[in-house]
Amino acid sequence: MQKQTDARNRGILGSDTAMVDRLPRLDRGGLVLLCIFLGTLRESRAGQIRYSVPEETDKGFFVGNISKDLGLEPRELAERGVRIVSRGRTQLFALNPRSGSLITAGRIDREELCEMVSACLLNMEILAEDILKIYGVEVEIMDINDNAPSFREEEVEIKISEHATPGLRFPLPNAKDPDVGVNSLQSYQLSPNSYFSLHVRGGSDGVKNPELVLEQALDREKEAAHLLLLTALDGGDPIRKGAVPIRVVVLDVNDHIPKFTQSVYRVSVPENLSSGTRVLVVNATDPDEGVNGEVMYSFRNTESKVSEIFQLDSRTGEVLIRGSLDYEKYRFYEMEIQGQDGGGLVTIAKLLITVVDVNDNAPEITITSSTNSVLENSPPGTVIALLNVQDQDSEENGQVSCFIPKNLPFKLEKTYGNYYKLITSKALDREQVQSYNITMTATDQGSPPLSTETHISLNVADDNDNAPAFLHSTYSAYIPENNPRGSSIFSVTAHDPDSKENARVIYFLAEDTIQGAPLSSYISINSDTGVLFALRSFDYEQFHDLQLWVTARDSGYPPLSSNVSLSLFVLDQNDNAPEILYPALPSDGSTGVELAPRSAEPGYLVTKVVAVDRDSGQNAWLSYRLLKASEPGLFAVGVHTGEVRTARALQDRDALKQSLVVAVQDHGQPPLSATVTLTVAVTDSIPDVLADLGSLESPANPDDSGLTLYLVVAVTTVSCVFLAFVLVLLALRLRRWHSSRLLQAPGEALTGAPASHFVGVDRVQAFLQTYSHEVSLTADSRKSHLIFPQPNYADTLISQESYEKSEPLLVAEDLATGLGKSDPTNNQVRFISLSPKCWRLGTSLSISFFLILL
């Protein structure tokens, strides 16, 4: 025992030669040769590593250098994820990360692991997680002599008739030794005596069956019982033994031995039989009478486990199921049934029970290694999980097929033994499916088939494989001109089906210039929301539209982007009033004059007002209307053409100068307008007026100023004469008025009118119109100006502007239209109201004097 302990402490596997030196050379020679042979065959199987270790070793006992056999350094075991794959049972071995060796994880009892197997081989798998590869390891548990032979019976009683003949044999109980090889049961010994000897009979299965042989006749009267000791010995070192006492009782004569109907009973039973089910009935007959003919049945040399499963009725011989059968644990039972009559004669029959496998075990799926996330666009063949499939049933019931649904982009491939790997069959797309719940089903070939399912949840990790996409290929936006700075113009949105950072979109504008200025000075975009803002107030008259390129870029690596065209149209607003191109205001500050012949018919085109509007559309539609006229109803303006035409024929009573105010208005909201004042000169002969206008140029020499002086003196003289004439007329008029007051004429109905409006001839009064004319002469100017006479009707509103504005002199003879009173402040002559006859007389005189002076 001390030698074996020393051998364990020094490592039997790595030191086969040292163990040979320590073992006795006689009994352990075969074991030494076996160890050497196994050591040379450790790598004989392809892809499998073999070790051997003795049983009953301490925890941490060295089994083998696994790192060396895998071609790795000890430190690489942890780095590469090398571990032992557990199948659910107690782990017997472990990996030492420091030394890289395979060691025992606890006490190993070969008899407990391999009770009925001579060669105890344990298989395990070593997984390298970095490459997802399985290595098979086979460890043989070497037997040591740690068990002594033992008998199940504490005492054996044998009844023998005193008339038994010498040479008669009586079976003795077998001893059991769970050790194997030389450590198992080797021989039996019987205590010395003169009546009995021991004979060991070898069975076909190699079991040694001891038998008690009667050497000489017994005499009950001399000795009624014999006490013997049967000893069983093994071949270990030291030799272990076990003994059972045998009591031989000498009986009276019983000359018939019971006989079974069959020497060997064979029966097959399914493993799913319930407790209490009858397996078979054994029967033995004895022709003796009385007690000697009554046979009692019992199990002989039966292990304790058999007695736990089967039950034998001692009287009827029925074999019943007591416990539960399990084909995966015990497939075959061999036992002996003993039939003994009342006289002590015994007969033996063998019972062989074969357990038939029933498909009562569903397949087991063990996920050895798996990942819960895989990157999309991973190449086909990417390993997702490594799993082991087992079925404890046998033959067809243990044949397992593993599969997954066909509509998934995955497939199962068989690798080593019952190991499968789950791999991708094509590239994954997270935008289509973000996660998978993979159901793996294992089904055996039994009837009915049993199956097991297990699930693996797999998330597809996002890869930046999608560029942001706009909803439309192009966008159009409209903004009114004169917009406030910083106002929102438009919003674009791009969608990226990726996730997290890969889906975060940033917007920006492509660099460009607008009329020499960078685009960024006109428009900006919010990089997060895609909202565009106007940095300036746009002017439709400056540009009508802008063409922009908006870029959307995600935040992935590498970043992906897409572009979209945005057409920004500036909408016109009514912000420009009409601009009058004709008539244009003269550069010298005077007002232009349009000519109209007095003989013009209705509809005669006098002039045309031309105006434009810088706006567009409805804002630029112009309409013309006559806002104000010195002679209402005389002229009309075309609404859409701006043409100024006569509305009726000119009459003698119409003033020679007509003032028109024409308004030009657009159709915007609100409408804007502009006005222009037209002066129309009515004349009898337009060619003569044009010729006179050509001669009224400024004098080119100093003599012109002398002429002007003569004209002033002449006009002043004529004015004085005319003033005297008017005074005389007034005196006469006052006299007549005084006379009329005295007469008290009956026509008092007209007393309400001013006296200046009436004239009496031969006691008849008539209502006269009053005419008012203005003549303006400027002494300090090279050009004389004339304000044309206008009739003053009681029902006509005369424009104040017509009295305040001066017009260029058009017709020379019009200067002599009347006599008036001089105004020393502005050198103007204002005429008084006269009767028509007086007016004609005064005018004739004035013109005559003026022509004489010229």
Side-chain angles (χ1 to χ4, degrees), residues 730 733-734 737 740-741 747-760 765-770 794 833-835:
L730 286 175
R733 191 170 180 82
L734 288 174
W737 174 77
S740 63
R741 294 286 292 178
E748 295 179 357
L750 299 175
T751 57
S756 61
H757 289 193
F758 295 88
V759 62
Q765 295 181 345
F767 182 78
L768 300 177
Q769 290 183 336
T770 301
S833 298
L834 300 175
S835 64

Side-chain angles (χ1 to χ4, degrees), residues 252-265:
D252 285 338
V253 176
N254 181 20
D255 53 354
H256 289 92
I257 300 175
K259 291 184 179 180
F260 283 98
T261 56
Q262 299 178 22
S263 60
V264 178
Y265 289 90

Side-chain angles (χ1 to χ4, degrees), residues 474-708:
T474 59
Y475 288 90
S476 297
Y478 300 88
I479 180 174
E481 65 173 334
N482 303 322
N483 58 287
R485 297 178 59 186
S487 61
S488 174
I489 300 176
F490 193 65
S491 176
V492 295
T493 302
H495 175 68
D496 194 323
D498 295 325
S499 65
K500 297 181 180 178
E501 288 298 318
N502 296 332
R504 190 167 68 88
V505 180
I506 300 174
Y507 303 90
F508 58 91
L509 296 175
E511 292 295 335
D512 199 357
T513 57
I514 301 176
Q515 297 181 353
L519 176 64
S520 58
S521 64
Y522 285 87
I523 296 176
S524 69
I525 188 170
N526 189 306
S527 61
D528 295 326
T529 62
V531 177
L532 286 88
F533 296 93
L535 301 181
R536 291 187 181 184
S537 179
F538 293 103
D539 188 357
Y540 177 83
E541 288 70 37
Q542 185 178 5
F543 50 81
H544 298 340
D545 59 84
L546 296 176
Q547 193 70 26
L548 313 177
W549 284 95
V550 180
T551 301
R553 183 177 63 195
D554 59 28
S555 301
Y557 182 81
L560 301 178
S561 62
S562 61
N563 300 325
V564 69
S565 173
L566 172 60
S567 298
L568 181 61
F569 297 96
V570 181
L571 300 179
D572 182 46
Q573 297 293 307
N574 193 26
D575 59 341
N576 291 281
E579 181 180 351
I580 298 176
L581 302 180
Y582 183 86
L585 186 66
S587 60
D588 59 357
S590 62
T591 305
V593 176
E594 302 294 338
L595 301 178
R598 188 174 294 275
S599 61
E601 297 295 329
Y604 175 79
L605 178 62
V606 177
T607 186
K608 181 177 182 179
V609 177
V610 180
V612 294
D613 196 318
R614 296 177 61 191
D615 296 323
S616 65
Q618 186 173 353
N619 298 327
W621 295 352
L622 301 179
S623 61
Y624 302 83
R625 63 187 176 93
L626 185 59
L627 185 64
K628 188 176 180 182
S630 58
E631 186 70 29
L634 180 57
F635 297 97
V637 177
V639 177
H640 302 293
T641 61
E643 295 177 348
V644 180
R645 296 179 181 270
T646 57
R648 60 177 174 81
L650 295 173
Q651 301 175 0
D652 293 338
R653 63 181 178 84
D654 293 329
L656 298 179
K657 185 187 78 167
Q658 297 290 333
S659 178
L660 306 177
V661 179
V662 178
V664 183
Q665 179 175 298
D666 59 25
H667 287 71
Q669 290 297 330
L672 302 178
S673 62
T675 60
V676 63
T677 301
L678 301 176
T679 300
V680 179
V682 180
T683 180
D684 292 329
S685 177
I686 293 179
D688 295 340
V689 173
L690 294 177
D692 292 338
L693 290 175
S695 63
L696 292 178
E697 298 295 334
S698 300
N701 50 63
D703 297 337
D704 293 339
S705 59
L707 178 61
T708 301

Side-chain angles (χ1 to χ4, degrees), residues 302-323:
T302 303
E303 300 176 0
S304 59
K305 291 185 178 180
V306 174
S307 62
E308 294 175 358
I309 297 176
F310 299 99
Q311 179 182 355
L312 178 62
D313 192 317
S314 61
R315 291 187 175 275
T316 62
E318 286 184 340
V319 179
L320 305 175
I321 297 294
R322 185 177 183 180

Side-chain angles (χ1 to χ4, degrees), residues 236-258:
D237 183 17
I239 296 175
R240 292 178 178 270
K241 60 180 69 176
V244 61
I246 300 175
R247 183 172 181 268
V248 180
V249 178
V250 181
L251 302 175
D252 285 338
V253 176
N254 181 20
D255 53 354
H256 289 92
I257 300 175

